[in-house]
Amino acid sequence: MSVPAAGADGLCAVVLAAGEGTRLRPLTERLPKALCPVGNVPLLDRALARLAGLGLAGPDRVAVNACYLAGQVVAHVGDRAHLSVEPGDPLGTAGGVANLRDWIAGRPVLVGNADAYLADPAAPPGPDIAALLADWDGHEVRLLGQPAADPAAPGTFSGHAFTGFSLLPWRFVRDLPVGFGDLVRAVWRPAEAAGALRVVPYRGTFYDTGTPADYLAANLHAAGGDALVDPTATVTGDCRGSVVGAGAVVHGDVVRSVVWPGARVRVGERLYEVIRAGDDLTVPVAGSSMSDDADERRSAP
């Protein structure tokens, strides 16, 4: 589809994928957060597909930044987008955009977080966030948001929590310093103070996937309550309400869990509300438990 706003002519997009994902350790010691799979699709691919749904694709229209485990991100993106590799430590959300100033080159920019999981049953990816662009005058900053549980909590905007995408006019981008900084302080709050920021509500489901609990919740949402098993996986155990990746081998029982591509669950293992990576890494969600005991396995919910 074409971008649904006359004011968005020449729009480009930046996907922020440079972060380390420290709260997801030790999973992110193996993969950068942007490449962690949700519903057997890397988060970065979900972001690129959402932009493609708005008519934004290719290295002239879409850029991806990388820093932590940058080689994996670069290899995964290939020629699908312009790549901006940040040396040293990540530059943050504002610094990452500033580092792309020459590529943005005067255009308005749609900025998305690679780790944002969004799903709207009423609209496919792309059209589900098109309201962010609709009737845009090209001057105000727009944020995609959802009503916050506490509208007055720090980090909210007009009583909304940010849900992963923002729309920035060029005038807010051109003077950003190339150095560590975040968009909240560098752009969003100044625009809000000037009366030049508007929140556009997102009606679907959103998870930022930054913690094991939210990462698991996003996967379970993508599975839709069923077992989502890649066709190349081998599953002989009991698998319920879980996501099993490509090439995984599951001989034990897996309930409300995520088994990464190539991972293994041995006979006699019972996984409940955990993420399994490889043969040896199991990351529980806070408050969940796992057991190898066969009696407990039979009584799994």
Side-chain angles (χ1 to χ4, degrees):
M1 61 174 289
S2 59
V3 175
D9 288 345
L11 182 73
C12 65
V14 172
V15 180
L16 298 172
E20 186 172 345
T22 55
R23 293 179 297 163
L24 274 181
R25 287 177 179 165
L27 292 170
T28 48
E29 292 174 359
R30 304 188 178 203
L31 279 179
K33 183 166 62 169
L35 298 187
C36 290
V38 171
N40 287 335
V41 179
L43 281 161
L44 181 54
D45 288 354
R46 289 181 175 273
L48 292 174
R50 179 161 277 106
L51 295 176
L54 291 170
L56 297 169
D60 293 332
R61 302 294 301 277
V62 177
V64 174
N65 75 335
C67 185
Y68 175 70
L69 297 179
Q72 292 189 39
V73 175
V74 169
H76 187 81
V77 172
D79 62 0
R80 292 184 293 164
H82 175 81
L83 284 155
S84 172
V85 178
E86 300 168 6
D89 295 326
L91 292 171
T93 54
V97 172
N99 201 44
L100 281 158
R101 184 184 294 110
D102 290 345
W103 176 84
I104 295 170
R107 295 177 289 181
V109 57
L110 178 63
V111 180
N113 293 347
D115 60 357
Y117 171 82
L118 300 97
D120 184 347
D128 66 335
I129 67 167
L132 195 61
L133 308 176
D135 301 317
W136 186 50
D137 62 7
H139 296 287
E140 66 182 6
V141 172
R142 289 187 175 182
L143 305 182
L144 199 66
Q146 289 184 327
D150 178 1
T156 58
F157 296 83
S158 301
H160 289 72
F162 175 62
T163 58
F165 283 83
S166 62
L167 182 60
L168 309 181
W170 167 248
R171 76 178 192 279
F172 283 97
V173 174
R174 66 188 174 199
D175 296 325
L176 286 175
V178 179
F180 181 80
D182 63 78
L183 288 173
V184 176
R185 295 177 181 83
V187 176
W188 300 348
R189 290 304 184 195
E192 181 182 48
L197 181 142
R198 184 159 79 88
V199 177
V200 176
Y202 182 69
R203 61 187 179 184
T205 297
F206 165 75
Y207 292 101
D208 74 0
T209 72
T211 66
D214 283 341
Y215 176 71
L216 175 61
N219 271 277
L220 298 185
H221 185 275
D226 298 322
L228 179 59
V229 179
D230 187 273
T232 65
T234 299
V235 177
T236 61
D238 183 21
C239 181
R240 286 178 279 161
S242 297
V243 177
V244 179
V249 177
V250 179
H251 293 313
D253 295 347
V254 178
V255 180
R256 291 179 55 82
S257 294
V258 179
V259 180
W260 270 17
R264 180 176 295 270
V265 181
R266 295 174 292 275
V267 173
E269 282 193 288
R270 180 250 191 191
L271 304 185
Y272 178 68
E273 292 192 349
V274 302
I275 301 103
R276 167 62 59 87
D279 293 340
D280 57 346
L281 177 59
T282 305
V283 177
V285 172
S288 70
S289 62
M290 66 177 190
S291 172
D292 295 338
D293 182 81
D295 291 333
E296 282 197 31
R297 190 168 67 251
R298 283 194 292 270
S299 65

